[in-house]
Amino acid sequence: MPVTALVSAKSCGVTAAALALTLASKRPSLLAECDPAGGTIRAGLLGGQVNAGFGLYHLARAERTGPEALANAFASHLCHLDQAGHRKLLPGLTDPAQAAALARTWPALADVLHVMAQQASHDVYIDAGRLALEAGHLHPTLTPAPLLYRADMVLLVVRGTEQSLALARHVIPSLRTALQENGSSANALGLLLIEDGPFRAHQVGESLQTPVIAALPHDQDVAHYLTAGGHPPRGYGRSALLRYARTATEQIEVAASRRQFQQYAPPAPQLAGILQRLNQQHTEGGVKHG
Ligand SMILES: Nc1ncnc2c1ncn2[C@@H]1O[C@H](COP(=O)(O)OP(=O)(O)OP(=O)(O)O)[C@@H](O)[C@H]1O
Ligand SMILES: [Mg+2]
């Protein structure tokens, strides 16, 4: 299952989208709230029920002890967004000043998230907050850069408005270069469109020269519930936002698989020769035994 990081150029609905995808996914899912500017789900959807003794910040100390301590801490700092425990949340930072302590934790956390995706078959979403760029590079503490570099898909959340596209246009080249130069390839980058404003998906994709992987409707009531908490609005379970989010999870998975396929490099000719000889030996051995 893919690990998908969501970011914005400026507050476009990353947290609401990450929650909608996590809650709507067909499979077990996990949302890691890794916005260095601080998490909002604890005080929002969770209604302040999860205290500061719990969440992402506490993984920094565990990581300094070692990978096993980090894995244990990760498991014990998850909370459930549903009764069955299929939808898990790693609550974010309670204070932006905590972000510096996480700088060396991100690579090890990326490993843990990939284990959740590949071995525990979870759809994993990362709320990576707003992109912070410095001299054309991802800022090392104001953006969880290693999580973006290791993600299967990096989705820039944009709205179909001129203001949103204008800001996105500036960050995309730097983000694309950073992904290209740091291990993951630039084709991890796609857009998640919030259908607000005059521009349709094909216009947004063309204008930003980046594929729109999925779109979510502008749904003020449900988005408000997801970001601010309180009582779910009428028809929440059947709402357009959650229905589209379910489709979006599938579109993201398809895009991630396509990307994996493109990245698959056929074995070098020398290796192909070795494989051929091994196969031949195996067949000849089989004849002798027979
Ligand atoms: N799909 C949507 N339809 C309508 N309103 C939305 C949608 N998504 C988000 N919003 C609204 O936009 C505002 C910002 O949403 P959200 O907190 O998800 O953005 P964000 O990108 O995480 O912002 P920040 O960078 O400040 O963390 C909230 O008022 C939320 O209710
Ligand atoms: Mg947010």
Side-chain angles (χ1 to χ4, degrees), residues 1 21 23 67 70 82 87 101 132 142 147-148 187 190 235 253 282 284:
M1 300 304 116
L21 294 170
L23 292 168
L70 175 64
D82 65 343
R87 312 202 180 277
L142 299 180
L147 296 184
L148 301 186
N187 69 3
E253 194 197 347
H282 181 74
E284 284 160 11

Side-chain angles (χ1 to χ4, degrees), residues 169-239:
R169 206 167 282 126
H170 281 288
V171 300
I172 284 177
S174 305
L175 179 55
R176 187 172 277 132
T177 307
L179 292 174
Q180 184 73 52
E181 288 177 355
N182 291 280
S184 179
S185 71
N187 69 3
L189 180 61
L191 303 171
L192 176 62
L193 173 66
I194 308 296
E195 292 170 335
D196 174 27
F199 298 107
R200 306 273 79 89
H202 70 278
Q203 295 166 310
V204 170
E206 252 170 48
S207 156
L208 299 179
Q209 291 292 295
T210 307
V212 175
I213 304 298
L216 296 179
H218 190 249
D219 186 338
Q220 232 158 356
D221 291 347
V222 174
H224 182 263
Y225 166 66
L226 293 177
T227 49
H231 291 292
R234 269 170 77 93
Y236 162 73
R238 289 168 282 105
S239 65

Side-chain angles (χ1 to χ4, degrees), residues 19-34:
L19 275 166
L21 294 170
T22 305
L23 292 168
S25 164
K26 271 190 191 158
R27 290 172 290 264
S29 54
L30 165 78
L31 169 54
E33 198 187 18
C34 299

